[in-house]
Amino acid sequence: MAKNEGSLTSTLKTLLVFTALMITLPIGLYFSSKSYVFEGTLGLSNRDSYFYAAIVAVVAVHVVLALFVYVAWNEGSRQWREGKQD
């Protein structure tokens, strides 16, 4: 029973970490890339910088989702292997 509770705790921690990343990373990258990269460094107009910053945010969402699937897949297969050896 304790092994199951540890597994559940680990799964919930993973879910919370990726939820926090899904909320903060795209929003942070959107505003920072808009201000510092596209308007500041590259000198794009306000309208163009919105467009390119949105692309950066969408790519960040896809990266976080891909990492979540990778981590969940490896965690699930590891737990399955450990359970099968018992």
Side-chain angles (χ1 to χ4, degrees), residues 5-20:
E5 290 175 9
S7 172
L8 180 62
T9 304
S10 172
T11 302
L12 286 176
K13 283 181 185 177
T14 302
L15 184 61
L16 286 175
V17 166
F18 279 100
T19 300

Side-chain angles (χ1 to χ4, degrees), residues 22-83:
M22 183 63 77
I23 293 169
T24 58
L25 190 66
I27 294 171
L29 283 176
Y30 174 81
F31 287 110
S32 62
S33 68
K34 180 185 178 311
S35 296
Y36 300 118
V37 176
F38 297 120
E39 288 178 359
T41 306
L42 299 176
L44 296 176
S45 70
N46 194 21
R47 185 174 177 169
D48 288 341
S49 66
Y50 281 128
F51 177 74
Y52 293 117
I55 291 173
V56 169
V58 168
V59 169
V61 167
H62 284 85
V63 168
V64 171
L65 282 173
L67 285 173
F68 175 72
V69 168
Y70 176 77
V71 168
W73 182 271
N74 285 338
E75 187 175 280
S77 64
R78 178 181 49 85
Q79 290 172 358
W80 182 76
R81 284 191 307 261
E82 289 173 0

